[in-house]
Amino acid sequence: MTSPHRIALLAFPGIRAFDVTVITEVWGVDRTDRGVPAFDLRRVAADRAPVPMRGGLVLAPDRSLRWLDRAELILVPGLDDCTTPAPAAVLEALRRAHTRGTTIAALCGGAFTLAQAGLLDGRQALTHWNLVDLLRARHPQVRVEPDALFVEDSNLWTAAGTAAGIDLCLHLVRTRHGAEAAATIARSMVTAPFRTGTQAQFIEHPTQHTDRDADALAAVRAYALSNLHEPLTVPALAARADMSPRSFARHFTAATGTTPLRWLLDQRIAAAQKLLEHTDLPMPEVARRAGFGSEVTMRQHFGTRLATSPRAYRASFTAQPGSRQPFPAR
């Protein structure tokens, strides 16, 4: 029997209760009866003293920093005050973990903790849009990405604020354990199962007209998801929304944070992943059903977006059910 995947929630005074809850909800709930792999989530701290959080909440650590040597993934919650210094022992433990090759993911203001440890020097990272200038000012050596949901650089993941932390957690589950496992967790959390890291993190809806357009755009997206096998084009989708292609593209990007073509590609990759995980359909049929048109095209997009091939992806999720896959490098 495969042992549970070892996940560490790094705790110290000042961490955000919301991020702790997100991490616990994704990795701390037993969903093995629904096909999700078993996780061993541990609350790791410099000592066993209770960790106070805003709102009168308290987190009880159950492992010392030594447990990070065993962890396969380390998660760093954001901070209520991003100027809060992390304990020196925590920063040193993060540096050692990164040297070992352990994947580290920071939510929201958790990027400040990684920056304090010097791990983001010369590397790309992001944080909540309202904290971008502060991160740049306090850590000018960090290459701050101002407009995305999450990014990766050298096995270090950083995410934007609040809901983007959920997106990153689900992305890490999806890329290591498959699209269906991530979708099962998302359904139980009643959250969107698939948002890509390249989407804008701040989307405005300033007028009633925009809200009315959003209804038409939602209907178009639902239609596209039901007809991914068709050769969908922006002009055809725009016609269904009763808009010009230019207006449709502009409103679509404003509503979703990504372009129609990028959104379609993301959904087609997700559809192909599920087919590869749960069917033995030949590659040309998987490509057709997902709307890629040909196996060659599907293979090209898998290589660009997932750094793997469809055949390698299928093999990794069917050779040994529940076996460990390395956390992704993108």
Side-chain angles (χ1 to χ4, degrees):
M1 181 177 178
T2 304
S3 60
H5 299 256
R6 297 182 296 274
I7 314 294
L9 190 168
L10 192 59
F12 56 90
I15 59 174
R16 294 179 71 222
F18 180 87
D19 295 340
V20 169
T21 302
V22 167
I23 293 167
T24 303
E25 185 64 26
V26 173
W27 279 287
V29 178
D30 184 357
R31 301 183 178 91
T32 53
D33 61 333
R34 284 166 278 174
V36 177
F39 303 122
D40 182 13
L41 176 66
R42 297 295 175 173
R43 301 176 298 277
V44 177
D47 55 50
R48 298 296 183 90
V51 176
M53 297 185 293
R54 182 175 290 177
L57 301 175
V58 176
L59 183 69
D62 60 1
R63 291 291 186 276
S64 70
L65 292 174
R66 289 193 300 272
W67 199 81
L68 296 183
D69 294 343
R70 303 179 58 204
E72 298 165 81
L73 170 65
I74 299 172
L75 294 151
V76 183
L79 304 167
D80 287 320
D81 179 355
C82 290
T83 63
T84 300
V90 168
L91 299 179
E92 179 57 30
L94 284 171
R95 287 190 284 265
R96 289 198 306 268
H98 184 250
T99 299
R100 288 193 303 272
T102 306
T103 299
I104 303 173
L107 280 58
C108 194
F112 285 79
T113 302
L114 299 189
Q116 287 178 41
L119 296 179
L120 299 182
D121 291 358
R123 295 186 171 115
Q124 187 179 37
L126 59 81
T127 187
H128 189 285
W129 60 269
N130 199 37
L131 299 172
V132 165
D133 290 340
L134 180 61
L135 182 59
R136 284 173 170 158
R138 294 183 68 88
H139 301 282
Q141 64 275 36
V142 179
R143 293 163 42 213
V144 181
E145 166 61 52
D147 194 19
L149 294 181
F150 52 82
V151 297
E152 179 272 342
D153 193 333
S154 304
N155 216 21
L156 297 164
W157 293 84
T158 50
T162 316
I166 301 175
D167 295 320
L168 173 56
C169 290
L170 291 175
H171 176 76
L172 291 171
V173 171
R174 180 185 308 109
T175 49
R176 196 183 201 213
H177 305 291
E180 190 58 38
T184 298
I185 295 173
R187 283 194 295 270
S188 70
M189 295 175 65
V190 195
T191 190
F194 190 76
R195 289 205 303 169
T196 64
T198 54
Q199 288 186 217
Q201 57 176 290
F202 183 63
I203 303 168
E204 294 189 63
H205 297 280
T207 66
Q208 290 184 347
H209 179 70
T210 300
D211 292 337
R212 289 195 299 271
D213 289 339
D215 292 335
L217 293 171
V220 169
R221 291 197 298 272
Y223 170 81
L225 287 173
S226 299
N227 295 274
L228 287 175
H229 60 284
E230 297 290 340
L232 302 171
T233 64
V234 171
L237 295 176
R240 296 191 68 86
D242 196 23
M243 299 179 186
S244 70
R246 184 186 297 270
S247 179
F248 172 77
R250 184 174 67 253
H251 288 298
F252 192 101
T253 301
T256 66
T258 189
T259 66
L261 289 178
R262 181 179 290 273
W263 181 87
L264 271 174
L265 176 58
D266 292 338
Q267 306 312 313
R268 283 175 165 149
I269 288 175
Q273 286 177 297
K274 288 187 177 182
L275 289 170
L276 291 168
E277 290 171 29
H278 299 289
T279 76
D280 58 0
L281 291 170
M283 290 295 166
E285 181 62 13
V286 171
R288 187 193 70 79
R289 293 193 185 191
F292 286 109
S294 72
E295 181 182 351
V296 172
T297 300
M298 181 173 68
R299 185 167 61 248
Q300 290 171 341
H301 286 301
F302 262 63
T304 300
R305 301 298 291 276
L306 303 179
T308 189
S309 70
R311 293 182 186 278
Y313 184 89
R314 169 175 275 173
S316 69
F317 286 102
T318 58
Q320 293 182 330
S323 63
R324 283 169 170 72
Q325 307 302 326
F327 279 99
R330 64 177 63 189

